[in-house]
Amino acid sequence: MAEQQGTRSEESATQGEGTQSIRAPTRHLDDVLSLIGALHENHGTECSTEALATTIGTTSKSGSYRLLVASARTFGLLKDTRGVAALTDLGHAALDPALRESALADAFLAVPLYRLIYEKFDGRILPPDPGLEKELRELGISPGSASRARRILRQSASTAGFFGEGNNRLVRPSRTPRDAPEGDMGAATRDTAPQLVEASGCDHPVLKALWATLPNEKFAEGQQRQWFEIFEKAFEMVYGPMNDGE
């Protein structure tokens, strides 16, 4: 548990010196795929975090390694519990040539920040880099981390196949999404989510996208608080900040 808490704090510090309310992967999807590929090739389904670190030529105490593992968790491809690193169902699918395309798309959308951007533009032309960084800042990325977060988002989107119609718009690959592993936040959109939001009188794409990340039964460890922090940012973006006393 202490090791996991250390990983999270390092991840937050890298993204915004611990001040931002939304995490984004600090490593792009290609790096994460190399990590889970090394686990699968050398250890099968799971191994100790120390053994995995040794496999890729580092140590489990390395800050860079911890951030890589944290990114793999954010993409929903790896679990890291009590010193054991294990592939998730989505991680197995990402390594399976028959399931890879859909699994990578699911992994990209498993990142709440990426899903919000994807749903907001929904096939429309993305803004140039300065505009995209502004969007990321409004969703909670600190100003000092926005440029890096934008680069990692674009690299990960390319790996996941979202630039099939050009690198200026996010379009999900055409294959039917696979079912999300139980408890993986944001791994697939529930069909009822848009209707629930619309029924409340709000048809804003950002809130629709955020509602769609709610898991069917329970949140994965540590993600419930993160969801509410993201919701607060999204709510303020749509409706403006709350007045004093509200």
Side-chain angles (χ1 to χ4, degrees):
M1 179 63 70
E3 180 178 347
Q4 290 180 341
Q5 291 174 342
T7 301
R8 290 177 187 143
S9 64
E10 288 179 51
E11 184 181 24
S12 296
T14 298
Q15 286 292 335
E17 298 182 0
T19 60
Q20 67 182 49
S21 63
I22 184 171
R23 290 191 184 93
T26 57
R27 299 292 184 272
H28 56 75
L29 189 53
D30 276 330
D31 289 341
V32 169
L33 290 173
S34 295
L35 176 70
I36 67 170
L39 189 159
H40 185 257
E41 180 178 349
N42 294 279
H43 304 284
T45 298
E46 64 180 40
C47 66
S48 68
T49 54
E50 290 83 358
L52 180 56
T54 300
T55 297
I56 64 171
T58 186
T59 70
S60 61
K61 295 182 179 180
S62 163
S64 178
Y65 171 74
R66 292 185 178 189
L67 292 174
L68 178 58
V69 170
S71 295
R73 290 201 311 265
T74 302
F75 280 113
L77 300 174
L78 188 74
K79 294 183 291 186
D80 177 22
T81 307
R82 296 181 179 179
V84 176
L87 293 174
T88 63
D89 289 344
L90 189 59
H92 280 287
L95 298 174
D96 185 337
L99 301 174
R100 179 182 174 90
E101 181 182 15
S102 184
L104 293 185
D106 284 344
F108 181 82
L109 295 177
V111 180
L113 175 68
Y114 295 175
R115 178 177 283 275
L116 288 172
I117 292 293
Y118 169 74
E119 293 287 352
K120 182 172 184 179
F121 290 95
D122 194 16
R124 294 177 292 179
I125 294 176
L126 291 170
D129 291 347
L132 183 55
E133 289 175 19
K134 178 177 180 291
E135 295 284 348
L136 295 175
R137 292 194 299 271
E138 289 179 349
L139 289 171
I141 297 298
S142 67
S145 299
S147 178
R148 183 183 184 191
R150 184 258 307 161
R151 291 195 303 271
I152 294 173
L153 182 154
R154 291 188 64 88
Q155 289 173 312
S156 298
S158 179
T159 298
F162 279 80
F163 287 146
E165 296 185 13
N167 62 4
N168 62 347
R169 69 181 74 231
L170 294 171
V171 178
R172 181 177 176 124
S174 58
R175 185 172 298 182
T176 303
R178 64 189 297 276
D179 292 334
E182 181 178 337
D184 278 0
M185 177 180 176
T189 303
R190 292 182 304 188
D191 292 337
T192 58
Q195 288 91 335
L196 288 172
V197 177
E198 289 170 7
S200 71
C202 176
D203 193 28
H204 198 284
V206 171
L207 294 182
K208 277 187 179 181
L210 184 58
W211 195 266
T213 66
L214 284 169
N216 287 324
E217 295 185 6
K218 62 181 180 179
F219 284 92
E221 181 180 356
Q223 289 189 332
Q224 182 168 323
R225 180 182 298 276
Q226 182 185 8
W227 190 92
F228 280 104
E229 290 172 345
I230 297 169
F231 177 81
E232 182 178 6
K233 281 288 182 182
F235 190 89
E236 288 185 357
M237 184 177 70
V238 175
Y239 294 107
M242 291 187 292
N243 297 324
D244 292 340
E246 284 187 334

